[in-house]
Each structure stands twice: as structure tokens, then as C-alpha cells.
Amino acid sequence: RRLDNLDMCRRLFGRAAGSTLGDRLYGEEVRALLDLLDGHPRSLVLVAGQIRDGGANLGSILARIRERGDEAVLAAELLESGTDWNEHDRLRAERLVSSLHLAYQPLLDHAPGAAELFAWLGTLPAGLPVPLASAIFGEDAPERIAILSRFSLVEFRGADERLELPAPVRWYAEHRLDADIPAERRAELLARTLEAIAALMAAAYDRMGKPGAGAVVDASRREALNLVALLGRVERSLPVAPELARLVARAFWRWSKVRVFGGHNTQQVTLIKRARNCVGMLEGSGEDYASLIEALGDLYLRTARLADAEAAYQLALAAFTAIDERIGEANTRKALGDLYLRTARLADAEAA
């Protein structure tokens, strides 16, 4: 929301400044910056965070903000989906992109690990739970997070403390990801993130029926947004390493086992079918693929699509049997038996 009051903008700028400005806060250079940033709170904070040495670099920052070059191109892409953008909107978008450049470029040059984390957050619309950061980025993840926080490039939200980027910032971050992070590293981060989400959902499932279960079901709702975005990256990258099939299947079936307690199962069916189709394209096999098909059968059963449920369970049973996975086989046979009892097919239930 735009700040219309100049004094309010000045106070925000002064509080967010990376170095105390003193009397310079009321000087011509700061006033020019405030006019250019036009009351956009995020731009004000991002630019203020670049202030150094009591404002000695105010002139260079002002000159950078006045440049338009690639910022104008990126701003045009940012506004591409809109239909009612006017000249004022375009200028504000350019200033935001310039502000983000000012904050991001020093990271890329001097703290590439933090820049990488920022860029990867662009792929996660629901943010990243802080505990997963170390699993994905390694032991220096807390240091990376601290740097992003210091530069006002990340927000902490929710009871589970998630690292999040607001929508325009996330768009910019994802653009930087494709431009600055090598494809091989992006693939590695994709695999690690899927693996981390699978582990998170396994831990969440263990809490079902216990105090706090409602919170983990709600967390699974948010994680669905991330899984959709990650699956989109997998689909756009086909063909990819077959190992990714296992990770896709594992993340989605473990998520489904938790999310099923939250209702809205029709939406889950669509997402799990999409994951299954992707895994099939990746020639996925093994226990995780079988578990994904079993999870689809469970969802069909909950949405009263009994014939589809039976077909999914039969496929899962064949997959479990092929790899001699006895527990999965037994669970699927039980699910089939329950389905047959529900449809009064007693002979089939006894055989299952």
C-alpha cells in the first residue's frame, strides 16, 4: 500500500537505513530518492538498506535508481499480465525492480550463497519452513538467512516460521534464478527440496491423531502450492534424470497421506494424477511409485469413484508385488478387501 505522507516515508527510510543518516535524512538526495520511490514501502526499505557510511553513497544510489535500462524491460514483464496498468504503475514497477537490483547485486557478488537462497525462494509460493533450509542448502543456511534478513529481502511468516517473498519480489527472484544459477545446480536444488518436503510430510503424518495435528494438516495445504510449482519445473525440464521420479512420487504420496485429513479431496485427485502422469513419463518404478498409486486409490475411494479406486489399487498391488514389498502389498490388499465389502462383493473381499 502506497504511503502518501512524506514524513512517514522519511521515517521509514531512516529506520531501515543500513547506516545512520543524521542530518542527511533531511537533505536533497534523500528527498529526491523519496520522490522517485513514490511511497512504495518495499522499495523504500530495500533502497535504505543499501545506505553505507552515514549516507556517503547516496549519490551513487540516486543515480542508479534514475537509470532505466534493463529495469524497464523487467518491469514490463512484471506488468505483462495486467490489463489496466497506467504510466504511474509502470514507473513504480521500474523503481521496485531498481530497488531489488540494488539489494540483490551485492549479494550475488559478495554472498552468492544468500543470493542462491533468495533466487530459489522465487520457486516457492508458500515459502520455505526455516527447518528445511539446512536440509536443502547445508550447514551455512542460517548464515544465508541472516544476510537476506539484514538486506530486507525475506520475510518470516506463520506459526511454523516460513521464509517468504511477496509476489512481486518472488517474481524477480525466480527471474534471477534462471539467469544466475546454473541448470545443474537448479536440478540439484529441485531434488533436495522434494526430498525435504517428503521428510516434512512423513513427520507430519506421525503427528496425526495427536495434539497439534490440525496445524500440520494446515501446513500441508500451504505445501500444496509449493508442490504444484515444483512439479511444473519438473514437467518443463523433461526429460530429466530417472532418479527424480522417485523423489516426485515420494513427496506427493507422503503429502497426500496428510492432506487427505483436510478435505477438498477432489483437488487432491487432480494433483496426484498429474504427479502420477509425470512419474510415468520419467519411467518411475519402485516402492514410492506404488505408494503414489495407492494414495490415488485412497482419494478415489474418498470421492466415491469406486471403479477408479479399484483400478488404482490393482495397479498399486501389482507394483508392490513386483518389488516384493510385503507391507505395501498387504495394505493394498486390505484396501481392496474393504472396497469389495463396501460394494457387497463378498467373494472378492474374501479372496483379497
Side-chain angles (χ1 to χ4, degrees):
R1 187 177 60 183
R2 182 175 180 270
L3 301 177
D4 295 319
N5 185 285
L6 177 61
D7 288 336
M8 189 179 298
C9 292
R10 196 188 306 275
R11 287 197 298 272
L12 175 60
F13 192 85
R15 285 198 301 268
S19 177
T20 303
L21 285 167
D23 291 340
R24 277 180 165 169
L25 183 61
Y26 301 91
E28 293 182 4
E29 289 174 321
V30 168
R31 175 57 190 265
L33 278 171
L34 297 180
D35 288 343
L36 285 170
L37 299 177
D38 195 31
H40 192 293
R42 183 158 300 279
S43 293
L44 289 166
V45 171
L46 287 168
V47 172
Q50 305 307 306
I51 302 298
R52 298 290 179 268
D53 302 323
N57 61 339
L58 276 169
S60 62
I61 289 176
L62 182 58
R64 183 71 177 85
I65 291 294
R66 282 172 169 158
E67 292 176 5
R68 296 177 61 172
D70 60 342
E71 282 90 341
V73 176
L74 288 175
E77 292 180 21
L78 176 60
L79 300 179
E80 207 170 51
S81 60
T83 56
D84 300 318
W85 302 113
N86 55 33
E87 180 69 8
H88 179 69
D89 294 323
R90 184 184 63 76
L91 287 173
R92 289 186 68 194
E94 287 180 11
R95 300 311 182 214
L96 175 59
V97 171
S98 292
S99 304
L100 286 165
H101 268 335
L102 275 172
Y104 174 78
Q105 195 60 48
L107 292 184
L108 190 62
D109 294 338
H110 305 294
E116 179 185 75
L117 171 57
F118 172 76
W120 188 245
L121 286 173
T123 70
L124 303 173
L128 178 68
V130 171
L132 296 192
S134 294
I136 298 169
F137 295 96
E139 295 179 354
D140 69 338
E143 180 183 351
R144 299 187 189 198
I145 293 170
I147 293 173
L148 292 183
S149 180
R150 188 162 68 246
F151 279 78
S152 301
L153 281 171
V154 71
E155 296 180 357
F156 298 87
R157 294 183 180 174
D160 54 348
E161 199 175 20
R162 304 172 79 89
L163 302 170
E164 290 191 13
L165 303 180
V169 180
R170 191 173 69 246
W171 171 90
Y172 174 86
E174 189 165 20
H175 178 88
R176 300 317 315 176
L177 175 71
D178 294 330
D180 299 331
I181 308 301
E184 184 177 347
R185 177 59 174 167
R186 296 199 302 268
E188 181 182 0
L189 291 174
L190 175 60
R192 288 188 176 188
T193 305
L194 287 167
E195 196 162 18
I197 291 175
L200 178 70
M201 291 296 101
Y205 185 75
D206 289 340
R207 293 179 59 185
M208 301 312 301
K210 301 175 183 176
V216 298
V217 171
D218 189 54
S220 73
R221 176 185 57 80
R222 293 193 298 274
E223 218 56 58
L225 298 173
N226 288 339
L227 286 171
V228 169
L230 294 171
L231 184 60
R233 280 203 162 260
V234 175
E235 291 168 337
R236 291 193 298 273
S237 301
L238 294 172
V240 297
E243 170 64 11
L244 197 58
R246 179 183 63 83
L247 296 174
V248 170
R250 178 173 295 182
F252 276 86
W253 79 256
R254 286 186 172 174
W255 167 79
S256 183
K257 290 293 186 182
V258 177
R259 188 71 202 119
V260 73
F261 292 97
H264 304 292
N265 300 131
T266 300
Q267 296 175 350
Q268 285 175 252
V269 168
T270 301
L271 186 51
I272 294 298
K273 284 177 65 177
R274 184 175 157 191
R276 180 204 60 187
N277 292 340
C278 180
V279 168
M281 292 175 68
L282 294 171
E283 300 180 355
S285 60
E287 181 179 352
D288 289 305
Y289 176 73
S291 296
L292 181 67
I293 303 304
E294 182 191 18
L296 182 59
D298 293 341
L299 291 171
Y300 281 142
L301 189 64
R302 283 178 174 264
T303 52
R305 296 171 59 176
L306 303 186
D308 290 332
E310 181 179 357
Y313 285 144
Q314 291 288 5
L315 283 174
L317 180 61
F320 281 126
T321 302
I323 59 174
D324 199 28
E325 170 45 48
R326 300 296 179 83
I327 295 177
E329 181 181 346
N331 289 337
T332 308
R333 287 189 183 281
K334 182 180 183 305
L336 272 170
D338 293 342
L339 173 60
Y340 292 146
L341 285 174
R342 180 172 172 174
T343 54
R345 295 163 59 182
L346 302 185
D348 289 334
E350 182 177 357

